[in-house]
Amino acid sequence: MEQIVLRHVTKKFTTKTLGDIVAVDDFNLSVEEGECFSFLGPSGCGKSTTLRMIAGFEDLTEGEIELCGKPVSIKSKNLYVPPENRGLGMVFQAFAVWPHMNVFENVAFPLRLQKMNRTDIERKVKEALHHTSLDGLETTYPSDLSGGQQQRIALARAIVTQPKVMLLDEPLSNLDPKLRETMRFEIKELQKKLGFTIIFVTHDQSEAMAISDRMMVCDMGKIMQIDTPENLYNKPINRFVHSFLGESTFLNVVVRDGKVYAEGDDEQPLDLTIPGDAAERMVVASRPNAIALTQDEGYQTFVEKRIFLTDRTEYIIPVGSQQLKVQTPHRISFREGERCCVRLLEPMWYPMEDEAAEKERMRRQLV
Ligand code: ATP
């Protein structure tokens, strides 16, 4: 069953210095019950604004939102359900726990707002603390707890009302990398146990990939692609998605007389099959670990730079006037300056992105 539905959701802001910004441009998406769905994209792409509209903290400029089968925002009908009546659990980066309340009171707070009786509050808080491994810490104050435990208080406070949908906005960004990994796992476990649907906002791609069933990648207020982590990585729809997920290396190429030349080298063609719809100028993308580095097969060049990484070796290889990043297992070893050949094993072709897009991306991050 569809639990969160956005139809033609748009949000415009007018800023004094930089004029109009379409922060969210005609978003259409639906999230299924029990799914963990991430919003992913660079700063300023519209992730938080979308989440805030779902939560009800921000009105829409156009469109409608449905939660658990009920409309909560319909701009054309001026329908707007306030956040407290949307039945959501939320953990936001900025919503720290309240330092003047002990753990019990922090978690009990949403139930007190609902005017629940004392016995039920005690039972529900106990359950929530148990689910988040905070048993026995009821009378402790947040300042006496670790960062991870404080984040668990925020989680306990979010699940205590047994919401069907949880909105998590960069909930792990204040934690150190090791703790982030543990908490990620704990959130997934909690979801399995309690069965809620998650919308997770992050700009950390590996975090999103680890936690999500599906992800939405957006850029400059537009949805670029919605798919599983595997498909987004293996079949990115454009250059932006390719570069945003995992490591990428790109070559600008020119297609001429049935052959492909890297910009800066009109003589030695690349060993590539040209797709039917290729324009004269294109970008060819590859993962750095999907390039064969050999003595004699492919485009002849040399090793400009060799970098030893913990689990692989990275090479910078000139191709025409450009540089290709190649990563190989340690057993394939070339010295700096040594002659070599490169061949792209799984090339992906994209149109050239215009410079205006890059300028607009920068502008949005400055507002
Ligand atoms: P981040 O990862 O930095 O939080 P984001 O992807 O969540 O970024 P949003 O916060 O949704 O991006 O912002 C999208 C665009 O809307 C940005 O250009 C931002 O500057 C602009 N914006 C957001 N809120 C407002 C506001 N209240 N007034 C004016 N512009 C805003």
Side-chain angles (χ1 to χ4, degrees), residues 211-231:
I211 202 168
S212 314
D213 298 306
R214 281 190 309 148
M215 313 198 284
M216 168 178 85
V217 181
C218 32
D219 184 31
M220 296 187 286
K222 289 203 161 54
I223 296 179
M224 293 285 119
Q225 194 171 359
I226 297 177
D227 214 325
T228 59
E230 287 87 340
N231 282 347

Side-chain angles (χ1 to χ4, degrees), residues 13 15 21 23 42-49 364 367:
F13 289 111
T15 59
I21 291 270
S43 191
C45 75
K47 307 177 292 286
S48 299
T49 305
R364 280 165 185 264
V367 179

Side-chain angles (χ1 to χ4, degrees), residues 107-111 121 124-125 128 155-163:
V107 179
F109 189 77
L111 304 178
I121 289 182
K124 285 187 179 258
V125 172
L155 260 181
R157 192 173 57 196
I159 61 169
V160 78
T161 52
Q162 296 171 309

Side-chain angles (χ1 to χ4, degrees), residues 67-83:
L67 292 177
C68 307
K70 292 195 191 100
V72 289
S73 292
I74 304 182
K75 191 62 198 172
S76 61
K77 294 186 183 163
N78 265 336
L79 176 103
Y80 163 75
V81 176

Side-chain angles (χ1 to χ4, degrees), residues 11-16 18-24 39-52 58 93 169-170 201-203 218 220-221 360-367:
K11 179 73 188 180
K12 290 182 190 148
F13 289 111
T14 304
T15 59
K16 271 195 187 138
L18 292 153
D20 287 348
I21 291 270
V22 185
V24 174
F39 294 171
L40 187 65
S43 191
C45 75
K47 307 177 292 286
S48 299
T49 305
T50 309
L51 198 77
R52 290 171 58 77
E58 199 86 68
Q93 182 191 348
D169 191 356
E170 303 269 6
V201 170
T202 179
H203 57 253
C218 32
M220 296 187 286
E360 177 60 16
R361 201 173 285 132
M362 296 300 295
R363 182 173 90 100
R364 280 165 185 264
Q365 291 172 16
L366 290 174
V367 179

Side-chain angles (χ1 to χ4, degrees), residues 84-246:
E84 61 275 20
N85 296 340
R86 294 193 177 204
L88 301 163
M90 297 178 219
V91 181
F92 286 177
Q93 182 191 348
F95 277 18
V97 290
W98 292 295
H100 61 286
M101 289 185 191
N102 66 21
V103 171
F104 183 93
E105 286 307 325
N106 259 288
V107 179
F109 189 77
L111 304 178
R112 295 212 192 283
L113 284 184
Q114 291 179 0
K115 310 238 181 301
M116 191 175 277
N117 69 54
R118 234 177 71 190
T119 328
D120 284 347
I121 289 182
E122 270 173 25
R123 181 174 50 81
K124 285 187 179 258
V125 172
K126 204 169 160 34
E127 268 172 30
L129 293 180
H130 180 64
H131 284 312
T132 48
S133 310
L134 291 170
D135 311 79
L137 293 175
E138 286 83 346
T139 54
T140 312
Y141 280 82
S143 55
D144 294 329
L145 295 173
S146 68
Q149 283 170 319
Q150 291 190 22
Q151 203 56 2
R152 283 203 205 104
I153 304 176
L155 260 181
R157 192 173 57 196
I159 61 169
V160 78
T161 52
Q162 296 171 309
K164 290 204 167 67
V165 173
M166 286 276 266
L167 305 182
L168 308 176
D169 191 356
E170 303 269 6
L172 310 178
S173 58
N174 292 334
L175 307 177
D176 67 60
K178 195 117 197 107
L179 198 54
R180 284 176 85 119
E181 243 175 74
T182 319
M183 285 299 292
R184 220 190 262 166
F185 181 72
E186 285 182 16
I187 291 173
K188 280 298 269 187
E189 284 301 298
L190 206 55
Q191 184 194 20
K192 258 192 233 158
K193 250 193 283 182
L194 305 178
F196 47 76
T197 306
I198 295 180
I199 294 208
F200 191 89
V201 170
T202 179
H203 57 253
D204 179 334
Q205 43 132 323
S206 55
E207 189 160 280
M209 290 190 114
I211 202 168
S212 314
D213 298 306
R214 281 190 309 148
M215 313 198 284
M216 168 178 85
V217 181
C218 32
D219 184 31
M220 296 187 286
K222 289 203 161 54
I223 296 179
M224 293 285 119
Q225 194 171 359
I226 297 177
D227 214 325
T228 59
E230 287 87 340
N231 282 347
L232 285 169
Y233 182 79
N234 291 321
K235 297 172 194 160
I237 198 164
N238 58 23
R239 180 191 169 132
F240 172 80
V241 179
H242 196 293
S243 64
F244 201 74
L245 290 173

